[in-house]
Amino acid sequence: MADLLTKTRARRAATLSATLPLGQILDGDCIEAMRSLPSASIDVVFADPPYNLQLGGDLNRPDGSHVDAVTDHWDRFDSFATYDAFTRAWLTEARRVLKPEGSLWVIGSYHNIFRVGAILQDLGFWILNDIVWRKANPMPNFKGTRFTNAHETLIWASMGEKSRYTFNYRTMKTLNDELQMRSDWVLPICGGQERIRKDGVKAHPTQKPEALLYRVLLATSQKGDVILDPFFGTGTTGAVAKRLGREWIGCEREGAYREVAEERIAMALPLDESSLVTMQAGRSAPRVAFGQLIETGWIVPGSLLHDRKRRFSATVRSDGSLLSGDESGSIHSLGAKLQSAPSCNGWTFWHLEHEGALNPIDTVRQKYLLSTEP
């Protein structure tokens, strides 16, 4: 009976997916765009809505140069009441299109996240966690009139108190070097080569780092799930979904952003099938976990690691676990298992080959730490 039910659900899901505009960016207002989608058709909604920043005047650095803050028309609302009405409208549509076991993620700052949280509770969503994204390298407070804004808040919610939502607990624990993943995430802001620019200018003022979406999607979705981003921007959600073998749909009314997103996602390479298999059963470094190097692209899933003498080799998987033959585990537990040893420091045991030379993965960790220093 259970097998029949599973097969029936799978057929329904396949039929529903066939009616969805998978891999497409829907033009126009996100509320109208979502109204074109079937009810109960989406597994995860990730939303990065306008923050309604209420900025007053120009912001300049101590040297007099101008700070490129968010002053775009899409972030301007006449009043809190106008913003609340907009928020209620798009959240209502998000709730309609989500499956009963679906998840909602919303990211915001102190300007808007409390208003968003109250409204989504009013609509029947059940808050599971508020995640603090602590920025490893935040922008300083140049005026010196307040604390440096070094974090943003993500709300993770299910459709109701008793909803059977997806949470890949073991995957998150593996990603975090076998420690429970906490609700404070230390990740760098988007910068360097990841920051998309057009004619030398930021393509989008609030582009989110791929590492953030990597963790969100790996934690609360499965391969083949449909991810909807109502505020698609330059396509971070779509690019990460493609890498992780998830389907995606975007809504974006700004033509310039759609153009950038389409180019970006076309270049994103999906991970090898074996790299998508994540731990389902089964000491973090002082400042960074192995999984964080994967989230941030410093080590790519599918990479081959070796011990110094090349006696053992293992393939890196998307959640930070390693696979060697039929054995799998974290960098530490698998290293110990292969050596029949009681313990192993995976950071020094495993090496990554670069230009014919083997270097400990701890070298990559140290480079990452240097790159994220303020």
Side-chain angles (χ1 to χ4, degrees), residues 72-299:
D72 302 79
H73 64 90
W74 48 259
D75 194 57
R76 296 175 184 172
F77 294 84
D78 294 335
S79 64
F80 286 132
T82 303
Y83 185 80
D84 290 350
F86 166 73
T87 300
R88 183 175 294 275
W90 75 257
L91 278 172
T92 297
E93 281 306 304
R95 184 169 179 81
R96 182 186 65 80
V97 300
L98 272 169
K99 296 177 181 177
E101 65 275 15
S103 285
L104 170 76
W105 286 84
V106 187
I107 185 170
S109 69
Y110 67 88
H111 300 90
N112 73 322
I113 198 64
F114 304 109
R115 309 186 76 85
V116 171
I119 293 170
L120 67 83
Q121 285 182 312
D122 288 344
L123 292 175
F125 287 102
W126 186 261
I127 295 178
L128 299 167
N129 275 119
D130 63 323
I131 304 293
V132 175
W133 167 32
R134 188 155 60 90
K135 301 174 182 178
N137 49 347
M139 181 182 293
N141 184 281
F142 294 113
K143 289 186 176 181
T145 56
R146 302 183 186 183
F147 296 109
T148 297
N149 293 324
H151 79 278
E152 292 184 29
T153 300
L154 297 94
I155 295 175
W156 174 36
S158 66
M159 291 286 280
E161 182 179 1
K162 298 183 179 180
S163 298
R164 300 186 63 181
Y165 55 89
T166 295
F167 178 51
N168 300 317
Y169 167 80
R170 179 60 192 170
T171 297
M172 288 296 97
K173 191 172 181 181
T174 304
L175 193 70
N176 198 38
D177 281 358
E178 298 188 333
L179 288 178
Q180 283 189 346
M181 183 71 76
R182 293 163 36 133
S183 61
D184 55 333
W185 298 354
V186 183
L187 297 168
I189 61 175
C190 187
Q193 292 185 343
E194 186 182 349
R195 169 64 74 175
I196 300 174
R197 297 180 181 275
K198 297 287 285 186
D199 301 323
V201 180
K202 292 179 184 178
H204 195 292
T206 63
Q207 181 184 338
K208 295 300 183 289
E210 290 193 5
L212 186 68
L213 271 297
Y214 190 104
R215 190 173 295 188
V216 165
L217 298 188
L218 201 63
T220 59
S221 69
Q222 305 289 352
K223 181 178 179 293
D225 279 358
V226 180
I227 317 299
L228 170 67
D229 187 335
F231 308 94
F232 203 60
T234 52
T236 302
T237 300
V240 176
K242 182 178 177 181
R243 283 175 58 200
L244 290 176
R246 277 65 166 165
E247 302 288 353
W248 61 269
I249 301 170
C251 305
E252 179 53 57
R253 69 183 189 184
E254 303 294 328
Y257 294 160
R258 290 197 304 275
E259 181 180 343
V260 171
E262 287 167 354
E263 293 177 1
R264 176 186 186 182
I265 296 170
M267 295 175 63
L269 297 176
L271 300 182
D272 179 80
E273 185 74 21
S274 62
S275 300
L276 288 172
V277 180
T278 54
M279 295 284 290
Q280 295 299 327
R283 295 179 202 277
S284 71
R287 294 175 58 192
V288 64
F290 180 65
Q292 200 163 333
L293 300 181
I294 298 169
E295 290 176 315
T296 51
W298 284 75
I299 294 180

